[in-house]
Each structure stands twice: as C-alpha cells, then as structure tokens.
Amino acid sequence: MPVDPPEYEHFEPFQFGGVLPTPREFSESASVILPIPFDRTTSYMPGTRNGPRELLLASAQVELWDEEVGVDVHPRGLLTLPEMDLSGLSLAEAMETIGSTTGELMDQGKFVLTVGGEHSITSPIVGAAAARHAGLSVLQVDAHADLRNAYLGEPHSHACAMRRTLDYAPLVQVGIRNISEEEAKILPTLRTQIFYDWNMRDQPDWIDRAVAALSDDVYITIDLDGLEPGLMPAVGTPEPGGLSWRELTTLLRRTFERRNVVACDVVELCPIPGMVSPNFIAARLVYKLLTYKFGLTRQRP
Amino acid sequence: MPVDPPEYEHFEPFQFGGVLPTPREFSESASVILPIPFDRTTSYMPGTRNGPRELLLASAQVELWDEEVGVDVHPRGLLTLPEMDLSGLSLAEAMETIGSTTGELMDQGKFVLTVGGEHSITSPIVGAAAARHAGLSVLQVDAHADLRNAYLGEPHSHACAMRRTLDYAPLVQVGIRNISEEEAKILPTLRTQIFYDWNMRDQPDWIDRAVAALSDDVYITIDLDGLEPGLMPAVGTPEPGGLSWRELTTLLRRTFERRNVVACDVVELCPIPGMVSPNFIAARLVYKLLTYKFGLTRQRP
Amino acid sequence: MPVDPPEYEHFEPFQFGGVLPTPREFSESASVILPIPFDRTTSYMPGTRNGPRELLLASAQVELWDEEVGVDVHPRGLLTLPEMDLSGLSLAEAMETIGSTTGELMDQGKFVLTVGGEHSITSPIVGAAAARHAGLSVLQVDAHADLRNAYLGEPHSHACAMRRTLDYAPLVQVGIRNISEEEAKILPTLRTQIFYDWNMRDQPDWIDRAVAALSDDVYITIDLDGLEPGLMPAVGTPEPGGLSWRELTTLLRRTFERRNVVACDVVELCPIPGMVSPNFIAARLVYKLLTYKFGLTRQRP
Amino acid sequence: MPVDPPEYEHFEPFQFGGVLPTPREFSESASVILPIPFDRTTSYMPGTRNGPRELLLASAQVELWDEEVGVDVHPRGLLTLPEMDLSGLSLAEAMETIGSTTGELMDQGKFVLTVGGEHSITSPIVGAAAARHAGLSVLQVDAHADLRNAYLGEPHSHACAMRRTLDYAPLVQVGIRNISEEEAKILPTLRTQIFYDWNMRDQPDWIDRAVAALSDDVYITIDLDGLEPGLMPAVGTPEPGGLSWRELTTLLRRTFERRNVVACDVVELCPIPGMVSPNFIAARLVYKLLTYKFGLTRQRP
Amino acid sequence: MPVDPPEYEHFEPFQFGGVLPTPREFSESASVILPIPFDRTTSYMPGTRNGPRELLLASAQVELWDEEVGVDVHPRGLLTLPEMDLSGLSLAEAMETIGSTTGELMDQGKFVLTVGGEHSITSPIVGAAAARHAGLSVLQVDAHADLRNAYLGEPHSHACAMRRTLDYAPLVQVGIRNISEEEAKILPTLRTQIFYDWNMRDQPDWIDRAVAALSDDVYITIDLDGLEPGLMPAVGTPEPGGLSWRELTTLLRRTFERRNVVACDVVELCPIPGMVSPNFIAARLVYKLLTYKFGLTRQRP
Amino acid sequence: MPVDPPEYEHFEPFQFGGVLPTPREFSESASVILPIPFDRTTSYMPGTRNGPRELLLASAQVELWDEEVGVDVHPRGLLTLPEMDLSGLSLAEAMETIGSTTGELMDQGKFVLTVGGEHSITSPIVGAAAARHAGLSVLQVDAHADLRNAYLGEPHSHACAMRRTLDYAPLVQVGIRNISEEEAKILPTLRTQIFYDWNMRDQPDWIDRAVAALSDDVYITIDLDGLEPGLMPAVGTPEPGGLSWRELTTLLRRTFERRNVVACDVVELCPIPGMVSPNFIAARLVYKLLTYKFGLTRQRP
C-alpha cells in the first residue's frame, strides 16, 4: 500500500498556491501537480524549462475560491511534487521514466496534472493512462497538429508529440492552425478528428461536437499556444487565431461535466522576462482544471 | 474664491497630451488630471508607482480629436496636476490627504480624473464625492471584487479598496472574476451588485442593466485589470477573461449618456519595460473618459 | 529581357522561410519579398528599422502548407531580396528610389510584397502600381487615417502616408480609430471611404461592402497597428480596438477572391526585445497574403 | 528567555541559500537575515521592494564554502526571517518598528543582517545597535552621502538616511561621488569622515585609514550603488566610479579582522528583469559578510 | 544682435537637469545642450535616436554640485534646446544644417554641447568650430577609428565620421580598438595620432602625451563606446577593453585645464529598455564636461 | 582522404563574420567553428542553447583586421559548421558523439573552435585532443572549478565538467572563485593547479606562472563567467571578481606565443534579451583566439 510519491533526485519544490490554508500530505491529496521542465526542442525560442517554476511562483496569487463553480477545491489536496530532472537521459529513456512515474502516481489513486516543459512529455503519460483506462481518448487543445512521424530524424521530438500519443489513444484536436503537408496527407489514415481554428466556429455547436467525439474516459492535454497569442504570447511558436479564454473554459467545463477526465497536462509555457501576465494565466488554467475536476458534478446522460 | 490648485511638495508635472495646442490655466480648466503614484502593495509585481508617469509620457501621442463622438474636448481644459507625494504618511493619513485634496478640487468645480497608483486611493475620493453628491453610486470595472474587510491585517490594503468604498456609496461591479470565499459569503449583506465576467454576457442587455443599477450621480473607477489581459498585460495581478475595448467603451458611453458622472479614476497601470502598448491604451482610456464627459449630450429619460 | 533583380548596395539578405525545400531563382520566382527598413519617424518608439529582419528571422518557423486553402505556394517562388539602404537620401529621393525599384520589379512580372519599415514607403509603390494598372484602388488596414497634408512641416512623414498615396489611387480604409480634426474636416473632399473601427461592425456585411468599394485592380497595404494591440503590441503607436485575426483574414481572402491584387505591403513592425510573438504573427500574415494570391482561384462575378 | 523571532504579519519566507544542508532553528542560529522590502522613494526607478526576494532567489546558487577564508559558515546558522510588511505605517512609525524589531533580535544574541529595500531603513537599526553598543561607529559604502537634513520636506527620506543615522553614531563614508552643495557646506560640523571616490585612491593606504577611523564596535551599511555600476547596474540612482569587488572585499575583510562588527545591512538592490547577474552578486556579498563575521579570527592589536 | 536660438520645427524640449533651481534664458546661458537624435545607421542595433531623450530624462537625477571640482556650474546657464528633426533631409543636407545651426550658436557666444544620435553628426560641428577657431584640433574618445573613406558607398556614414572630420582638423584618437585594414593602411598619410587601447597604457604618461598632442583650441567628441562596455553596454557596437571612468575623467580634466575647449559632443547612446544605468552615466558625463568647462581655471603653461 | 565535414542532422548554419570577403570551403579552411548549443543544466537561468546563434549573429560586426597583432586571419579559413543537434541522446551518448565528431575534424587537420552551450561539452573534446596529442594539458578560464565528481547524481553535469576532463589531461585553472568543500578537500589528489581569483594577482608574474604550468600541447577552454560579470553578465551563474579583458587577452596571447594550442572552446554564453553587448564580446573573443592562433609567431624558448 504505497503512500509515498515516487523517488527521484530533486531540488525542494515550489508549491502551487504558495502557502495553502489547508495543506495536505501526499497520502491525503486527491491530486498531484507534477512539474516536468523537459526542454530539448531546437525551436526558435527555448525557455519552456522555466515554465513550471514561473507558473508555480505566479500561482501564489491565484484565488482559491472559484466564482464560477462556487467552490474552493484545494482542501481536496493538490500537492506539488518536485521537478523531474531528466537531463541525463536519452529521449527514449526520458519518455519511459515519465511513463512509469506518472503510472505509479495513477496507481496510488492520484489525479495527475503535469506541467511542462515541452509537448513531447504527453505521449508517455497518455500511455500510462491508457494502460489503466481501456478505451481512453485524448482531447488536445493546440495550435499545432504535432502529427509528424519524425522531425529532423527524431521520432520523440515535440513536433511529433501527438503522433506518438496516437499509439495509445485516439485524438480530438481543437484549435489547430499549423499543420504540414505531410501531416495533412496522412490524416485520413489516423485515429484523429481535427477541429481547425479557421472554420470550427462555422458550426455553432462545435464545442458539443468536440466533446461528443470523445470516449468516456478522457485525457486532456493543453498546449498553451492553443490560446490566442494576445492572451498567451509566452510560447515557443505562437500562431495567430486560437481559442479565447471563454471558449477554452467552456470546452473544458463541458468535457468535465460529460466525461471522466483521468489526467491532464498544461505544456509549453515559455516565460517572457518582465511580463508576468502569461504565467498568471497558465496558473489560473491549472487551477481551473482542478476546480472542474473536483468541483463539478458529472452529468450522467 | 479659490482659483489655485491645492498645494503640496512635488516635482514638475508632465502634462497629459504633452504640449497642447490650446492649453488652459487651472482656473479655466473644466477638468484636472491628478496623478497619485501611490504604491504600497505587497503583491507579486510592484510598479504601479510608475504608472502615472508612463501614462502621461504616452499621452503625447493620443489624438485629441475623437472620431467616435466627433469632438476635440481638450479646449475645455484638462490640466495635469503634479504627482502627489504621500511617502511619509501612514495609510490612514494618506487616505485622509487624498480625500481632502480631491474634495477641494471638487469644490472648485473641477471634474477630477485621478490616475493611480494602486486601487486603495479610490475610497477617499469616493468619500469626497459622496459628501458633495448625496445618493452617489459607484461603477467599478475590475477583475477583483476587492471586498475583503482586511488583508494581512490591514484594512486600507488595495485588496480591501471597495469594501472601504462601500462606507460611502453602493457599488455596481463589472467584469469580476476573482473573489475570495470570505467575500463571496458576505456579499448578500453588502450594498453591491456584481456582474461576473463568467456569465454576465449570458444576458445580452447586461450593459443596460448595469447602467440601470446606478443612481443618478455616479463615480467611475476603472482598475485596468478589468480589461482583457491580452490588451492590458501591464497590471499587478492579471486575470484571464475581462472586458474587450468595445465592451468597456460601450459601458462607459451609456453611463455618461444616462447618468451624471461626477468624477473618475483609472488605476493599477504597472508598466512593462520596453512595451509601450499598455501605456498608450491607458492614456487613450483617460482621454475617452474626458471625451464622453465633455463631448456627449446627456440623454434625459 | 531583364531577369536580374534591380541593383543596390546591400548586406546579404535573410530569406523568408529560412532554407526553403524548393528554392527558386529570381527569374523563376512569381513573387519577391522586398524588405525596406526605412525609419525616419519621430514617433515615441523607433524600431521599425528592425522590423524586416525580425520578421524574416521568425519566418523560418512558418508552416509552408496552409491548412485553410490546402496548398503550399512556396514552390511558385518567393525570393527575398536584400534590404534597401536609403540612409543617405532625402525623403523625396528615397520615395523616388522606392518607386523606381518596385516599378522595375513589376515590369519583370513579379508580385511585389514589401515589408517595412514605416508607412511612408507605401505611396511610391502605389505610384508604381498605378502607372501600370489604370484604375487601381487601395485597400488600407490601419488604426490611423494618415491623411494629414504635412506633419511637422514634412509632406512625406509617415503621418501623411495615405494623403500622398491619394495622388495615385482612391482608398478604402479599414479599422481606422485615430484621425485628427484636420483630416476629419478635409475628408469629404478626398477620394477615400473610411470604415471606422468604432462602428463598422454595426453593419454585418461590412467586409463585403469594403471589398465592393474597391476597383478591379487592388493594392493592399497593411499597417500592423490595424490589428488588435493585444495580438500585435509591437507597433510604434498602438491603439485599442482594431481587427481580430479572423476579421483580417476574412477581409483579405474575399479581396483576393473577388479582385485582382497587384501588389501589397506589411509595414510598421516595431519588435519588442524578448517577445517573439508579434514577429511570428507578422511573418504568418506575409505568407497568408502569398497563399491567398497564389492558392486561391479568383471568383468571377 | 525568548527564543522565538519577533512576530509580525507575513507571507512564508524564502530562505537564503535555498534548502541548506545543515539548517538551523531560530534558537540555534548565530545570525538572522531580515528582509525589509521598504520602498517609498520617489526616485526615477522604483523596484527596491523586489530586491530582497530576488536576492534570496539567487542565493540558492551561492556556494556555501568560501575559497578565500576556507570555511563554510552556514552551520553556524543563518536563518532568513519573513519579509517585514510596513505598508500601513507612516515613515516615522515604520522607522520605530524597524528599530524595535532589530533591537529585539540583538537582545536575543543574533547577528542581524538586514536586506533592503531603500536606505532609510538603516538609521533605526543603527539606533538599536548604538543603544546596545556604546561608542558604536558606522562604515558606509555608498555613492551618495545621504546627508541632507530633509528631502522634499521629508526628514526620513532615503536621501537623508545617513543624516538621521548621525543622531546615533559617527560615520566613515567610502566611495562617495554624489553630494549636494547643502551637504558639502554642512560637512565640517558633522561627525563624519568622507573618502571621496575621486581621490581616495591617491593615498595607497586608504583602506587602512578608513578602518582606523572606526571605533571598536562597528555597524556596516552597504548601499549597492557604492559598487561600480558596471558590476552593479541594478540600483535606483547609479553613479560612474565606485568600488571594485576587490576593493570592497578588502575593505570589509580588514574591518572584520580589526573591529567588532555588530550588525550590517545591504540595501538598494533594484532588480532588472531578465538580468540575474546583480542579484547573484548581492547574494554573494551577503554571504561574504557572514563568512567574514563567523569565519575570520579577529586580530587583536 | 541675435539673442534667440536658431529656429526649426520641434516638439517641446526636455531640459537637462529637469527643473533647475536657477534656470537661465537663452540669452543668459553660457552653454547650450543641443540634442540631435540623428540615426540612419544600418548597424545591428538601432536606437541612438532615443539616446538624447533618455539622457535628458535621467539627467534630472544628476547632482548639480560636483564634489571633485567643488562647484555647481548650472547657474552659468545650460539651456537645453529642442531636438533637431532632420528626417526629411538627405545625409548631405543634414550635415549642412547641423553645421550652420551649431555655427550660429557659436556666433552667439554659446558653448555648444551636442548630444547624439550617431557619430556622423560630429564632422559638420567640427567644421563650424574650425571656421571660427583656426588651428583647431579634435580629441576623440572612441572604440572605432571611423576613418573609412566610405561605407557601403556612403561617405557620410557613421563609420566614416572621423574621416570627414579630418577635412577640418587633425585628430588625437584615444581608446581605439576597432580599425579596418583599409584604415590601418591609410593611417600614415592622415593627420591623426592614435592611442590604441591595447597598448596605450604601456606608457604611464599616456594621458599627458595625448593632451600634449592637441593644439590650443580643442573640440572634444566622445563616442560612448570608448568607455568599458561593462560600464556602458548601451551602444550600437560595443567592444571589450576601453577607458574606465577614472581614465576618461582624468583625460578630460587635463584637457580642460591645459587647453581651450571650444565645443564638444557625446554620441551613440543606444538605450536598453529597463536598464537606466547607462543613461545616468551618459548624463553625468555631459555635466562633468560642463563642470570642467566652467568650474576649472585653465592652467597657463 | 576525407575533405567533407562530418555529417549530422542540422538546420542551415549562420556563418561567423556574416558574409566574409574571402570565404573558404571546408577543405581550404585552417579552422572550423563548431556550434554545440547543448543545454541540459538545471541551473537558475537556462538559455545557453541560444548562445551560439546570438554569438554568430553578433559576429557580423566584428572587425576582421586585428589592430593588436596587425593581421586579418580570416583568409586562412574559418568555416562555421552547422549546430549539432544532440537532443535525442542521453548525456553519455551526447558526450561520445561530440568526441567522435571533433576527433574527425582534428584528423582532417582542422583547428577546432567549439562554441557552447554548457561546459559539459569540454571533456569529450579534450578526450579527442588528448588521443591525438600525448601529454596534452588544459588551460581553463572559469569562475567555477567544476570538479565535483557528480552533481544531483549525474557525473556528466556541467558542474562536473572539469572532473571528467581530468580523465584525459591535467589542468591549469584560472580565475576560480567558486568551489565546494567537497572539491576543495579532494584537490590535493587531483592533477590540477588552481589560480584563485582572490589571490592570484598577489604575485605579479601570475600570468607567466600559469603559462609555465602548461605542457607543450595545450587545449584552452573559456567559460565566459571567468570574465568580470560587469563585462559579461550573460552567463548562467555569474560571480563577482573575475578577469578583465586585458588580463584575459594577455594570458591568451602568452599561451599562444609559448605553447602549441591544438583546439579551444568558448562556452556558457546565456544571452540577455535586448542587451547585445555580451554577445559582441563573446564573438570578439572567438576571433581573438583565431587571430592569436594564426597571426602570432610562436616563440621558441
């Protein structure tokens, strides 16, 4: 009966929310926040490695009571684990370690919310979740399809994050506005349904349709570049278009109301020095996910 | 017959609009812009102390003619007073000084537009206005309810700004998306009507309803974090959601058309080095308020 | 039979898109991207001189396949020419050089897409285009009318850019939210139709009406401050309001579908150090223009 | 027998050195680090309020072993207390609170190292120290004499910090390169000896002479603008000239070797976003002071 | 009997020193500070156009009393003229305008201190001074020799600034650590004496030798990149090495003591957003020049 | 007879010096510049991954003629290879790849100058050099000894860079001012001679002594934090103290004059957005190394 978190080398963790009024030990926590500052991208702007730290620093300002749901879920327990240090490993080894660590947490009954770091961390977590939830599907909010089979020869690149994820579960991809010809051509053969940013709003019920396309057990991955770049400029490869805060929260709320969300991640925060706004918004998003998870009553059909 | 502004120690003021084509002396000015770079917050990002200076520097680029109303109101007079220096005072003394100074300006017939600085400056100004306009109500645009009774033991904290204001006038609060459990619980007993950001737009006539909730004499306080953080990232505690420029200007225009606005403030600009956009937007907002005040004809019911 | 680009002193050019998979020589290129880092403004924030360089650096991350049109147009050829160095010239001489250079490129059959630099570069290019396309009209997306006859005594100032352009072609101006009294008064005598930001959306068909106001041959000039400043803060004089990405792309798509666009420019990018998002967005806009030009089939009425 | 630190409202403190290998409780600590983010200056650049936090964040990278003295002093105990929040108080009240709090710490036998915040915090601490060490003198490293009697009408302004300190103890001022005519004229009547930056090095034994001018019990105050601005640009009012790191550490080492240093402060760190170098240097200076205090054997004459 | 400054279009000027205690009208001022934000360089970092404005903003913090010379020279009059706007002119026309304007000021008996802007502005001012002081020589502090005959085809480029100056007066160049092969080869034929940064200190009397190489009437031009880049990073093309503040002030003091300095300039400040230190240092240098000019007694040989 | 560079996946390289007047093919180049943007540190500030790119961008402004040696060495050939992408590999695999690639270049007769990236890249290059030059020694300029045996459990961490290097060659370490107790204790058993920053200058001939401690064949590794942090703030863990530019260049020049330098590296540039000075200085250092290598005649004893 394991009640301790998985062990690994680490610095002392920052805690989400700073000093919480009702802190919980690991064994009492319904959820854990796991920072994985993994960042091996060769993109134009590095910096996602700092994402978890800045998100956690900003989180001390997040109001614990949610005015929309009318609840403060933090007494359910949202312990922040130490950052994972994967610097010595190959990409393949790092993927395996992420998968086994998050799987162990799931076995201990935790709702795992991972904070990246780059998007490549998603596939092993989905692998762990799919092994525990048969028929799992994935809701992805993102600007990029990330469905390349390999990028610069590397199958575990962040540009291939969702292609790897497809090995474990089918996808519903929302907000997509960057996709390569290679990906577009292979699409019909893949287990994915794409809601393109340029035309998804032409159908007013697009949010309901996206949720309906998901199976009962759902993993949610949010690449922050899925949001409008005005709201969220602190990402490595911003794209014009994207979801508004209202669209994103509506999509998430309905998903939590109608499906069983088993784990989620928020990735690709790439902080801009001197500009705290994106860090606050990412922290608020993390807490919104936990609020929906523990504060909403699931609507049975 | 006082025709001089109140006296206090100061540096030479910057003037709103830079060098105006039709400058007016204090005695000829229908309005005065009063910068109060008051900043004692313990929030994550300080810097509102620089807000008035950067707003005024940016204001030199604001076009004096307003294409919406079709008027240039600056010949009515918009003299910028020197920054108030309250550094030596306790919070309670500072509040008293702000109240007496703005009251004196009101007695001289000026439309007082204060530029903050942090939100705690609002309550004494409302106090001064309420003493001169029985039945005054307050329109607050803000992300935060600011209704705590005390914060870290301090009743004059910016987190309590509107609770103090309630001593003088009832509130209509718009765009709220951050409120604590303590505030939410005490709400039913307070003289305030809240339009929450997450659901206020569900009623298409929400702007008309907000204006209708105001009494005839109105004070307007705009915390810049009430705007969308994409548009206005330069605030101490940004929150996703918020009013668009169009929503804010529509709300303000209708308020000026239907009510007697007696004074207003724009607070919490916290400039980001190297990014002038928020400073320009705040300056434009200040001038929009003056344009609506002096350029619109009030619609009698 | 000239097949070489015009000659001028220059540094080595960056190429749009970085190292393209299907590069084309000048003679094979259907279009050329011409960077003109011209910047003599006395505005508050300089820096448009860096605009073309940062746009081109960011362009290496732009996906070449466009998911909206379903095409990759780059094999049609989009050669980037070297930056023009006009530093030694007077304003009048610089205007003449820009006009003759772009005219020469048009004579060689190129679709010329100029990247600024400040807005004053537009009028000589329109002059060159009008000399080759009788009855040309101009679609301008901008926050500022730029219709002053002179600014600080200078008729070629960026604040007069479109007044000079009127010498060559009539205008349709979209998104305008900054205009001086002088400009507003002279408007009725000018060959321009303005869609003001504050009320253009009151007519749901405003985009169709704007396109309908254009003649068959169209030049498009996009001042980046025409976009929402949240999305595009990296401009010299930001203004609240403005077009969303969706509004802008819809307007552009319909213009390309219904008119013959003969050349275009994207001007006034003023990069913010440490914030790459606006540079990416500007680069994506450039490629969107080329995609619409070469990827859409023109709809004959 | 008090073994608890003084009580005041606070957030959870950051600890100097991050997670120390040999942490000590308050009762076991030979020294305490007291952050006072006091900042009421009206100077050009605010931001000293962030100084303590950034210094403490950077301190986690400071090597605990000192290669010069050959010792790791941290097991003697260097507990970091929470930040003092003085925001509600008048200047005079704040001074009194600082004096009583630091005095209480001294009574508990602690070596008090205060981290500012602006320089005005020094005089009450010197007052507390002088009350416990008759004949105390002060070593001040600074660019500014800070000997004005009042500044903008305020006797407790940071520009008067050392004039107030003179009420409690005589001064030796090193590195001075900014002094007003008023201060220069009154100098002969004050208990201070100034080593001007422009000529102090003309005498090769200037460091020995500065130390010799101190009484046996010494308080050290280091305004970071006393250092070269190349090394330490993150101050509110930088001045060219100033001490090199080698000059400063030599001066400090000899003072600790030859005198009894009873307390000290490091003030006026004003962090620059995106530039961590000054924060590291300030943190290293704090640890150097503690290393000299607890690692050196005092040389008896 | 002209007592008015030359006329040109301008915005309202900032004043050096902010609001001076003893302001002087133009006719009473012994010196004038002339900002020329001229910036047409194609170098890597633009931004010298902002240099004069930021220097003047920072100058309000400069102490008017100089502790080295023991004097406050500002009552002699240091009026700041408005920025010159040369944006419409060709390089050759701009040079001519600068020459005639500064010449007119010299004819009115003013000590002219120009603040750049890029280095190309120096040669016309030297031309004006040489026309009024036969036998004039120039002291140049700089990292770059700037002796190219043309750069990218342009003879008035900042990279040719001192080659053009040689047409009017011989040079003594100090701190040089960047020179092209072309310049090095032509050196023996030019009227210049170079003190290279890499070896000038090998002769301990190098400062005396530099001064001795000057004729009786001297013009001083200081390119801020002549200073150490640690102290002065805010320049377009920084170079390691360079003069310390002490070396520069010693060189300047001896020049003013032994020669008749007729005018001077400080150029190439290229402000870094968020970092005020270089702006303060440049402002202090400007005031040091004025202090030496009006506060020192010239030593007759 | 291989005349091609080693092959690996890459983007298109930037070239040192931009567009060189006398470019050389790989086969003609006496030296190659190899960028390795390797960055897996968990230090406070990431960003060395951007170091090579920013150094190369800045290098276009470096003057090719060196005024100290009186030579332009670039016609000997200084081809810049593409950045190595090691993102998919484990640390151990990455080390092996770096070693084999640089070894191959050495076998082709190239002088290899590597640009980092973090310091961990040094040991495999030294391994490659030592395999080809028996009796090799290493000159290290650095603030940190980097002699830990492991850091957070990882033997290939940058904090262990020189401990790994000791497997291949003895060290002379200069400028050291950060060393842990563990390292200090083990020192007597290691093949290293340390020149501590705090006391090395006490012996005026310290530079000669450092060079004398080197064997005939020398590898030079320069961690940029070995320089003064005022000059070089753009490093991950700055330390006060450090070498001046003059000290560093003197040390390097004498090493090249008296020893056979077989290869070298410049590592740990961590660019600061908006501040180009450190990037220029690092680029100038790279070229200084090449100038000394190919421009100096070695002095035989």
Side-chain angles (χ1 to χ4, degrees), chain B residues 63 65 230 245-246 280 284, chain C residues 177 179-180 198 230 238-240:
Chain B
E63 182 57 60
W65 203 77
W245 180 254
R246 163 161 280 228
F280 276 112
R284 180 75 187 247
Chain C
R177 51 203 187 279
I179 186 169
S180 69
W198 77 272
E239 294 284 342

Side-chain angles (χ1 to χ4, degrees), chain B residues 38 90-100 120-124 156:
Chain B
F38 192 69
S90 70
L91 265 180
E93 293 164 349
M95 295 298 113
E96 195 178 304
T97 304
I98 292 170
S100 61
S120 52
I121 66 174
T122 295
S123 70
H156 288 292

Side-chain angles (χ1 to χ4, degrees), chain D residues 63 65 230 245-246 280 284, chain F residues 177 179-180 198 230 238-240:
Chain D
E63 182 57 61
W65 203 77
W245 179 253
R246 164 162 279 229
F280 276 112
R284 181 76 188 246
Chain F
R177 52 203 188 279
I179 186 169
S180 69
W198 77 274
E239 294 284 342

Side-chain angles (χ1 to χ4, degrees), chain C:
Chain C
M1 255 174 0
V3 289
D4 290 329
E7 297 211 345
Y8 44 84
E9 295 267 356
H10 63 80
F11 289 102
E12 189 71 358
F14 286 108
Q15 283 296 315
F16 189 93
V19 184
L20 294 169
T22 314
R24 298 287 186 221
E25 296 295 316
F26 177 76
S27 61
E28 308 163 315
S29 278
S31 69
V32 290
I33 295 174
L34 174 65
I36 308 186
F38 192 69
D39 166 21
R40 297 210 184 160
T41 172
T42 53
S43 289
Y44 192 64
M45 282 301 287
T48 59
R49 185 176 307 170
N50 280 340
R53 186 183 64 201
E54 295 294 332
L55 187 155
L56 292 171
L57 276 170
S59 74
Q61 306 295 320
V62 169
E63 182 58 61
L64 297 171
W65 203 77
D66 184 280
E67 80 288 355
E68 178 195 355
V69 183
V71 69
D72 169 2
V73 299
H74 98 271
R76 295 289 298 272
L78 57 152
L79 191 80
T80 308
L81 296 177
E83 293 193 348
M84 294 189 76
D85 177 3
L86 306 163
S87 59
L89 307 181
S90 70
L91 266 180
E93 293 164 349
M95 295 298 113
E96 194 178 305
T97 304
I98 293 170
S100 61
T101 302
T102 51
E104 193 176 331
L105 288 165
M106 294 171 188
D107 287 341
Q108 291 170 342
K110 305 303 181 194
F111 182 77
V112 180
L113 193 157
T114 312
V115 175
E118 66 178 53
H119 212 164
S120 53
I121 66 174
T122 296
S123 69
I125 314 177
V126 170
R132 286 154 181 88
H133 300 275
L136 184 78
S137 62
V138 174
L139 171 62
Q140 173 197 2
V141 176
D142 204 331
H144 309 81
D146 288 348
L147 289 169
R148 277 178 169 88
N149 199 37
Y151 187 63
L152 292 176
E154 175 54 64
H156 287 293
S157 163
H158 69 115
C160 316
M162 301 316 293
R163 186 68 171 272
R164 293 292 84 69
T165 301
L166 274 176
D167 297 342
Y168 306 113
L171 308 177
V172 174
Q173 299 181 289
V174 173
I176 304 303
R177 51 203 187 279
N178 182 307
I179 186 169
S180 69
E181 189 161 8
E182 169 207 338
E183 293 166 277
K185 296 257 162 78
I186 199 74
L187 266 187
T189 71
L190 302 178
R191 294 189 296 163
T192 180
Q193 183 167 349
I194 296 193
F195 289 74
Y196 287 106
D197 187 72
W198 77 272
N199 69 351
M200 66 186 183
R201 296 172 192 83
D202 295 348
Q203 295 174 291
D205 65 340
W206 70 272
I207 289 179
D208 292 328
R209 293 175 59 249
V211 177
L214 293 163
S215 63
D216 193 61
D217 288 336
V218 172
Y219 180 93
I220 298 177
T221 176
I222 302 175
D223 185 319
L224 288 166
D225 64 23
L227 281 165
E228 298 169 339
L231 188 64
M232 181 49 65
V235 294
T237 42
E239 294 284 342
L243 277 71
S244 70
W245 179 253
R246 163 161 279 229
E247 289 173 336
L248 177 58
T249 51
T250 304
L251 170 64
L252 293 175
R253 180 172 184 152
R254 292 193 192 160
T255 304
F256 277 93
E257 285 174 342
R258 302 174 189 175
R259 292 294 182 275
N260 176 38
V261 179
V262 302
C264 47
D265 65 57
V266 174
V267 297
E268 296 283 354
L269 179 65
C270 182
I272 297 172
M275 190 182 190
V276 298
S277 173
N279 310 346
F280 276 112
I281 292 166
R284 181 74 188 247
L285 176 58
V286 164
Y287 197 65
K288 205 70 172 170
L289 288 164
L290 294 170
T291 297
Y292 287 161
K293 175 65 187 176
F294 295 109
L296 292 176
T297 306
R298 193 167 162 211
Q299 303 165 352
R300 296 292 163 176

